Amino acid sequence: MSEKNASSASKFETPEVSNFLRQIIDQDLAQGKHAQRLDAHGKALPSVITRFPPEPNGYLHIGHAKSICLNFGLAKDYASAPGGARCHMRFDDTNPSKEETEYVDSILDAVQWLGFSWESQGVAHQYYASDYFDRLYEYAEILIQAGKAYVDSQSADEIHKNRGNFGQLGINSPYRDRTSAENLELFRAMRAGKYADGAHVLRLKIDMAHPNIVMRDPVIYRIRHAHHHRTGDQWCIYPLYDFTHCISDAIENITHSICTLEFENNRPLYDWVLEALRDAGVFKDPLPKQYEFARLNLTYAITSKRKLLQLVEEKRVDGWDDPRMPTIVGIRRRGYTPESIQLFCERIGVSKAADSWIDMSVLEQALRDDLEPKAPRAFAVLKPLKLIIDNFADDHAEPCSAPRHPQHPEWGERHFHLTKEVWIEADDFMIEPSKGFFRLYPPQNGQAGNRVRLRHGFVIECTGYDTNDAGEVVAVHAQYFPDSKSGTAGSNNYKVKGNLHWVSAKTGIPAEIRVYDRLFTDPHPDSGDKDFLQALNTDSKQVLAAYIEEGLNQVESEARYQFERHGYFVADRIDHTAQKAVFNLIVNLKDNWK
Ligand code: ATP
Ligand code: MG
């Protein structure tokens, strides 16, 4: 092999995880398909340009995260391709009444939070399809002049009926043979606002007998006297998706236009429009190409914007960022890390298998795997029961310490105090122990009460308990063994099976802990004819008056901890303050759902 070949073959590194899209890109790169392109200023264009094109009509959800990780991830992975690679942030905002600036901001936030950027070589590649309204209009006129588009004056119903269906060919519109001059005049009058909504539409002249219904003279412009969030009242005709999307891609020199499988039938139309404009001298080969992948369906979740909106509007959840919502703001508030979402998207990969479902446990496991090495450990007692150590000096506070993280000795130790009264978990005590219960229970049948270790503290033996008038246990009594402290020589003389976490009733911090469960009880809450509201888990949020280790009220919001024996928790982004500690359960230590 010559020197030259060897170096060109290793010009870019093939990413580790392969998928069919990467194979396509690898092939295009090997053929140098997009290598020679220049931008309007004569500068070389990257040979990989993708885009993420949301409609700003709602909050993004976990399904969008897959598309973000895919499109922006490819741009990152192919950074060393000739000319580099980048991903454009594009708002597909051609539908005037539905879009709002609030959504634009939240979408930008979500993409950045997930760890991606649309900036490349100092240029922010943030675009709006509405910025192309002038050009889209100009190109529509070019197609009219080329005899490839016409103004149709049938009603919407007639258009729909005459399009036919799967088994029935469409019928040509009586207006299909208008001359170019007549079409141009009508189209200009449409733009000038001379007609009411619905009076006319602009259609492509393709084939009303085409086996693919999408190709039966699709409508590309309609009259809408509506205000647009960016262009105001400048326009009263708006282009439709099939016309706008491919042209936006071509204008931005997109190489690989990746979308979900529902658009497979639209691909011939995507190509038709761009080829017609190429033939008219507007665009040059190589044109962008559309590729489809299977959308993400996640069990125990819904990813329909309409249904998510319904949950918010009917106050079934506490807003878009409710930690139970599958929205990106929701999973962020829940405590998910951007890295865990990226890991999840890597693990589920990209395929063309429609209707495939990913189990929620896969997402949760990615989160655990990400947090295990990262999250410092701490104590929290979620359902507190008072433990009184009767032989402990009243005013004494015994300093105790524990590793911040068992695998990271370099992180050092955390420090807290053991006092006469501590909080333990209510279910770490039983009056009459069930079989195999090794935690605290009082003296039974002439035998002493059980011994356990207060983790990183002393061994104690249960001596009794107090109840209230209703017979409920309100305090547990114990005595401790002063020579049993963890980390001292004497500790080895005590062998106990139970090892309880605890928080000093004197120095521990009261905290509100929100324990969340899955929002739905059915893995497929909205499949078939099901009413997804019937599957709502009415017990998915518990607010607990808990106690946490000293110092934990001082942590920043969004700090994540593993509360020993419980799971991973995050200081709530919104409500946690130094005055009032508020933590959310992110995920339990183990999958105990089934
Ligand atoms: P709408 O019903 O409003 O069109 P949408 O979910 O298609 O909703 P868009 O804003 O059009 O929302 O989506 C932006 C991008 O995210 C698109 O490229 C779309 O294909 C992709 N996307 C949306 N939902 C999913 C999903 N569940 N899995 C993977 N990608 C998705
Ligand atoms: Mg869409």
Side-chain angles (χ1 to χ4, degrees), residues 51-68 70-71 90 92 98 107 241 245 258-263 293-298 303-306:
R51 87 282 169 269
F52 172 63
E55 197 179 333
N57 63 350
Y59 283 82
L60 299 186
H61 53 62
I62 182 75
H64 294 110
K66 177 175 177 182
S67 179
I68 293 169
L70 180 59
N71 282 296
R90 182 194 316 143
D92 187 359
K98 287 199 305 196
I107 290 169
Y241 174 87
H245 203 89
I258 300 166
C259 63
T260 42
L261 278 173
E262 318 86 88
F263 292 98
F293 70 101
R295 60 193 298 127
L296 167 67
N297 297 308
L298 191 64
T303 48
S304 145
K305 281 182 194 162
R306 184 177 58 78

Side-chain angles (χ1 to χ4, degrees), residues 452-507:
V452 298
R453 175 171 292 284
L454 292 178
R455 230 171 193 182
H456 309 298
F458 294 92
V459 170
I460 59 168
E461 181 178 296
C462 186
T463 53
Y465 60 93
D466 303 332
T467 53
N468 60 14
D469 294 343
E472 296 154 346
V473 178
V474 292
V476 175
H477 289 269
Q479 57 173 346
Y480 85 114
F481 301 96
D483 60 344
S484 67
K485 192 174 177 191
S486 299
T488 64
S491 74
N492 290 335
N493 301 332
Y494 297 84
K495 296 279 175 262
V496 292
K497 286 188 176 161
N499 211 332
L500 310 189
H501 65 274
W502 52 275
V503 169
S504 160
K506 205 176 212 167
T507 58

